[in-house]
Amino acid sequence: MSLHDDAVLVLKDHQGQDELRQVYLDHLAAHPDGMWKACGAGHVTASALVVDPSRERVLLTLHKKMRMWLQMGGHCEPGDGTLARAALREATEESGIDGLALAPGGPVRLDRHHTPCAWHLDVQYAALAPAGAVEAISDESLDVRWFPYAEVSDVADESVVRLLEATLARI
């Protein structure tokens, strides 16, 4: 199965956000290349909010290009195979943490936003950090930092706050 086909199945199974979910499905139906950065009309991306439930904290990255505190994530790559693998790869690469595990149940949210390259149709997962996780700054970040759940709204935009709320409801 292709990554495109996996994305369609994941989106068809996603509960809630029906209008936005349909935008994603329509985009993929109209654009066979809709998973890839080269698709100028926009592309599906995968991200994951890294959480440490035992310590009630979330790991955010100060994104080098966007200059904002965000969840880990980005463009899909041909070797990903599935959206879940793309989200986990991005979370691992950008957090520096090995042993992350995606929360069961598939994506927790969808978020469509414009970036310098195009519209991102982001499929957002939650990633659980293992005990004793130690983060590392990647070359895509200016910083990575743990924030208590209650402080996320002080540093991040509404999309990250909504992702945290959906993640906490899931886990």
Side-chain angles (χ1 to χ4, degrees):
M1 177 184 323
S2 72
L3 184 57
H4 186 281
D5 292 342
D6 175 74
V8 169
L9 290 175
V10 167
L11 290 164
K12 284 183 177 179
D13 285 345
H14 183 68
Q15 301 297 310
Q17 297 183 273
D18 294 339
E19 265 184 56
L20 185 57
R21 183 171 58 92
Q22 192 59 52
V23 168
Y24 283 41
L25 289 167
D26 291 347
H27 174 79
L28 290 172
H31 301 281
D33 63 344
M35 296 300 300
W36 313 118
K37 186 177 181 178
C39 183
H43 37 271
V44 173
T45 58
S47 67
L49 185 67
V50 177
V51 294
D52 179 356
S54 67
R55 297 179 66 186
E56 297 187 348
R57 62 185 187 161
V58 59
L59 184 67
L60 298 178
T61 178
L62 183 56
H63 194 276
K64 192 178 277 187
K65 291 181 183 174
M66 302 297 290
R67 305 259 189 225
M68 298 170 60
W69 288 104
L70 300 169
Q71 75 276 12
M72 315 300 164
H75 297 107
C76 296
E77 295 180 2
D80 288 330
T82 67
L83 277 175
R85 279 191 235 143
L88 189 57
R89 176 189 51 75
E90 285 284 340
T92 301
E93 288 175 1
E94 293 185 13
S95 71
I97 299 173
D98 289 322
L100 294 174
L102 294 182
V108 295
R109 278 194 100 254
L110 305 176
D111 185 77
R112 181 176 182 258
H113 52 270
H114 197 265
T115 70
C117 74
W119 282 99
H120 279 187
L121 289 77
D122 198 30
V123 180
Q124 302 176 323
Y125 291 80
L128 306 175
V134 177
E135 70 282 2
I137 299 172
S138 76
D139 60 358
E140 295 181 36
S141 302
L142 296 171
D143 194 6
V144 291
R145 190 178 307 164
W146 291 102
F147 293 94
Y149 296 156
E151 292 179 14
V152 170
S153 63
D154 297 336
V155 298
D157 70 6
E158 276 300 307
S159 70
V160 178
V161 171
R162 287 190 302 268
L163 177 55
L164 176 60
E165 290 169 352
T167 295
L168 294 178
R170 171 74 59 86
I171 61 171

